[in-house]
Amino acid sequence: MIQLALRETVTAARRAPLLTALAVVTIGFSLYAFGLFGLVALNIRQAIRAVEERVEVRAFLQDSTSIDAVDSVMATIGKYPEVARVEYVSQENALDRARSEMGEFSDVFDQAVLPASIEVHMRAGLRSPETVAAVAKRIGSFPIVDDVRYGEEWVGKLYRLRTIASFVGIALGLAFAAVAVIIIGATIRMTVLARAKEIAVMRIVGATDAFVRRPFLIDGLIKGILGGMFALLLTWGTHRAVNQYFFQTVFFDNRLMLLGLLAGAFLGVAGSMVSVGRQLRRI
């Protein structure tokens, strides 16, 4: 059955090579639009993740705090489940960092003495405003801590931005997928209409709907995979052009590329199923 369906698919492609090429290119461009959206969403996610890694709680220590007391507090904080790592910043290191980060104002720090501090870096997935605020409150309860800062307003805005980006990404992704299904369905429908007489003859001689559908589903599967490969090539070319002329971006890993090809195959089969189903109901 499968071999017969494959043979019919190859025969149909040989009969109408331009129609087959047009279907593959159309599917490819529809998936290319979806791929571009995925690439943009991936890079936005990477950028937000890079910013999230800078979320930290900084506890400024009281003057003349002993090293033993600092070590004890750091050991306790390091055991918090929300904490990834804890670092001690001495007064000298704080001064050097201020001079390097704000070189144009380095003379301002010549006589200044910045307080020593403890930098607390949060674990991935545990950087929500509520979690960071709770950790900051616990750290502020230590006697050696003079003040605690973690950029409350900045952390809140970052978390809201991530939430909005996630919802918008899902909504646009579903919209692009729906458009791709419609375009693919319309493209494959041309193939179905071109073989309408053949389908009618098959129904007359007693062919079942499953038998009629099978070659078209395989045809949609093959065109979806070829279109997915074409879209992936176009997306990679766009990625290289952006990297060369504008700014550096990341590309899909092997898992995401395979997922893209599978998505193309699925959309091709779905489009074929819808188009053939409509044609069979008219016969």
Side-chain angles (χ1 to χ4, degrees):
M1 287 292 184
I2 300 298
Q3 292 180 350
L4 178 61
L6 284 172
R7 187 161 56 248
E8 291 182 3
T9 300
V10 173
T11 301
R14 289 177 178 177
R15 290 175 183 171
L18 292 180
L19 183 60
T20 301
L22 177 62
V24 172
V25 171
T26 304
I27 292 172
F29 275 109
S30 63
L31 292 176
Y32 171 57
F34 186 70
L36 283 182
F37 163 75
L39 195 63
V40 171
L42 175 64
N43 281 273
I44 291 177
R45 182 179 178 184
Q46 290 288 110
I48 293 177
R49 184 178 299 174
V51 175
E52 279 185 340
E53 291 178 355
R54 300 182 61 182
V55 173
E56 63 184 30
V57 178
R58 181 168 299 183
F60 295 99
L61 305 177
Q62 294 182 356
D63 294 337
S64 303
T65 301
S66 66
I67 296 298
D68 292 338
V70 174
D71 290 340
S72 176
V73 169
M74 290 179 61
T76 302
I77 296 174
K79 295 179 182 178
Y80 292 174
E82 305 91 345
V83 174
R85 68 181 189 276
V86 183
E87 297 179 357
Y88 173 69
V89 181
S90 65
Q91 291 179 320
E92 294 78 9
N93 291 337
L95 184 59
D96 292 338
R97 180 182 297 181
R99 288 172 175 169
S100 63
E101 292 179 353
M102 295 179 287
E104 64 274 22
F105 302 109
S106 59
D107 55 331
V108 176
F109 300 102
D110 286 342
Q111 303 299 324
V113 178
L114 300 179
S117 62
I118 296 175
E119 291 183 354
V120 180
H121 301 268
M122 308 295 292
R123 291 185 183 275
L126 297 174
R127 295 167 178 155
S128 66
E130 296 78 12
T131 302
V132 178
V135 171
K137 184 176 180 180
R138 293 172 65 185
I139 294 174
S141 64
F142 289 102
I144 67 171
V145 175
D146 185 51
D147 190 18
V148 178
R149 301 287 178 87
Y150 63 93
E152 180 177 2
E153 182 178 357
W154 177 79
V155 172
K157 289 182 178 180
L158 176 63
Y159 191 75
R160 287 193 296 272
L161 175 63
R162 190 186 69 172
T163 303
I164 293 173
S166 298
F167 280 110
V168 171
I170 293 173
L172 290 179
L174 293 175
F176 272 102
V179 171
V181 169
I182 294 173
I183 294 176
I184 291 171
T187 302
I188 295 178
R189 188 165 179 266
M190 293 188 297
T191 305
V192 175
L193 292 175
R195 299 174 62 185
K197 293 182 180 180
E198 181 181 343
I199 294 175
V201 172
M202 294 171 67
R203 292 294 297 274
I204 292 174
V205 299
T208 62
D209 289 350
F211 183 85
V212 175
R213 282 193 181 99
R214 191 174 294 115
F216 290 100
L217 295 181
I218 294 178
D219 182 59
L221 175 67
I222 295 175
K223 289 177 180 176
I225 293 176
L226 293 176
M229 295 174 64
F230 181 55
L232 192 61
L233 181 62
L234 291 176
T235 307
W236 181 82
T238 303
H239 160 72
R240 294 292 299 173
V242 171
N243 280 0
Q244 182 175 356
Y245 297 106
F246 298 99
F247 49 83
Q248 293 297 311
T249 59
V250 297
F251 194 66
F252 305 120
D253 56 22
N254 293 334
R255 181 180 59 85
L256 289 177
M257 287 190 290
L258 177 60
L259 186 62
L261 293 179
L262 292 177
F266 171 77
L267 293 176
V269 171
S272 294
M273 188 176 298
V274 172
S275 299
V276 176
R278 289 179 179 176
Q279 187 65 25
L280 289 176
R281 285 194 294 269
R282 294 178 179 177
I283 298 176

